[in-house]
Amino acid sequence: MENSGGIQASLSGRYATALFELARDSKSLPKVEASLATVRQALDESADFKALTSSPLIGRGDAAKAVAATAKALKLDQTTSNFLGVLAQNRRLAQLPAIIRAFRQLAAAHRGETTAEVTSAHPLEADQVDALKAQLRTRLGRDVNIDLSVDPSLLGGLVVKIGSQMIDSSIKTRLNSLAHAMKG
């Protein structure tokens, strides 16, 4: 499989590629993708889970037990649960957000979609997301999967990243540009 963008060049990319190929070959790609979305949501919402994945003070065995219990509580599929156990044993849980991002890119490419990382100053409504998808589909000529995140420091507007291309219409960037121009 060809991985444009150098996904396999990074550690997280290699893990994501291994998980993707395992899920694809076992025909469980949708289940694994749904489980990873649940894990991503848990990372965003639970400070304890985020601390578990990022703390170097937690030993391999304890991390593996905690991840197994978390996977069971989140009702993750077996492939994803086993994968999280491998990450815990290899002390790679801190790479989880990057692995999930790379896996989503691989899955989207497999479906013929493009993934756009969209950062907004506040959560977007469903109709705003649909309008954004329609605009990006028109611009790119193919379906676009949107990965949303919120950064209040943007003040307003959006930052859209598609591969190596970035469209920054945030108020923060405009104010910084204006301040730079006024300096001189």
Side-chain angles (χ1 to χ4, degrees):
M1 149 170 235
E2 202 276 321
N3 290 314
S4 60
I7 287 178
Q8 286 187 325
S10 67
L11 177 68
S12 58
R14 289 192 300 273
Y15 275 100
T17 300
L19 178 60
F20 173 79
E21 290 175 354
L22 184 64
R24 183 191 62 203
D25 294 348
S26 66
K27 307 227 184 308
S28 61
L29 200 54
K31 287 181 187 176
V32 171
E33 200 167 6
S35 290
L36 287 178
T38 302
V39 170
R40 182 169 177 251
Q41 184 177 0
L43 283 170
D44 291 342
E45 295 175 358
S46 171
D48 291 338
F49 186 54
K50 189 169 184 91
L52 166 70
T53 62
S54 60
S55 176
L57 302 176
I58 300 172
R60 292 174 199 249
D62 292 337
K65 288 178 193 171
V67 164
T70 303
K72 189 174 182 180
L74 294 174
K75 297 180 174 88
L76 302 181
D77 72 285
Q78 194 60 46
T79 302
T80 306
S81 299
N82 293 345
F83 180 74
L84 291 176
V86 168
L87 290 179
Q89 285 299 320
N90 293 343
R91 300 191 63 75
R92 300 290 188 229
L93 285 172
Q95 296 288 317
L96 199 50
I99 291 169
I100 293 170
R101 214 172 12 259
F103 183 91
R104 289 186 59 166
Q105 288 177 342
L106 290 168
H110 180 71
R111 290 189 302 270
E113 298 175 343
T114 300
T115 300
E117 295 177 30
V118 178
T119 306
S120 61
H122 55 82
L124 297 178
E125 301 292 327
D127 58 333
Q128 292 173 316
V129 173
D130 291 341
L132 182 59
K133 277 185 179 182
Q135 284 183 333
L136 291 173
R137 186 180 313 116
T138 302
R139 181 176 178 152
L140 299 173
R142 60 181 166 225
D143 286 337
V144 178
N145 187 18
I146 294 186
D147 185 10
L148 295 171
S149 60
V150 176
D151 180 2
S153 73
L154 294 180
L155 303 174
L158 298 172
V159 177
V160 179
K161 292 180 189 171
I162 304 168
S164 62
Q165 184 180 19
M166 184 168 91
I167 304 164
D168 189 343
S169 66
S170 67
I171 293 175
K172 177 181 179 180
T173 299
R174 290 179 186 179
L175 289 174
N176 287 341
S177 297
L178 181 62
H180 184 70
M182 290 175 70
K183 285 181 185 176

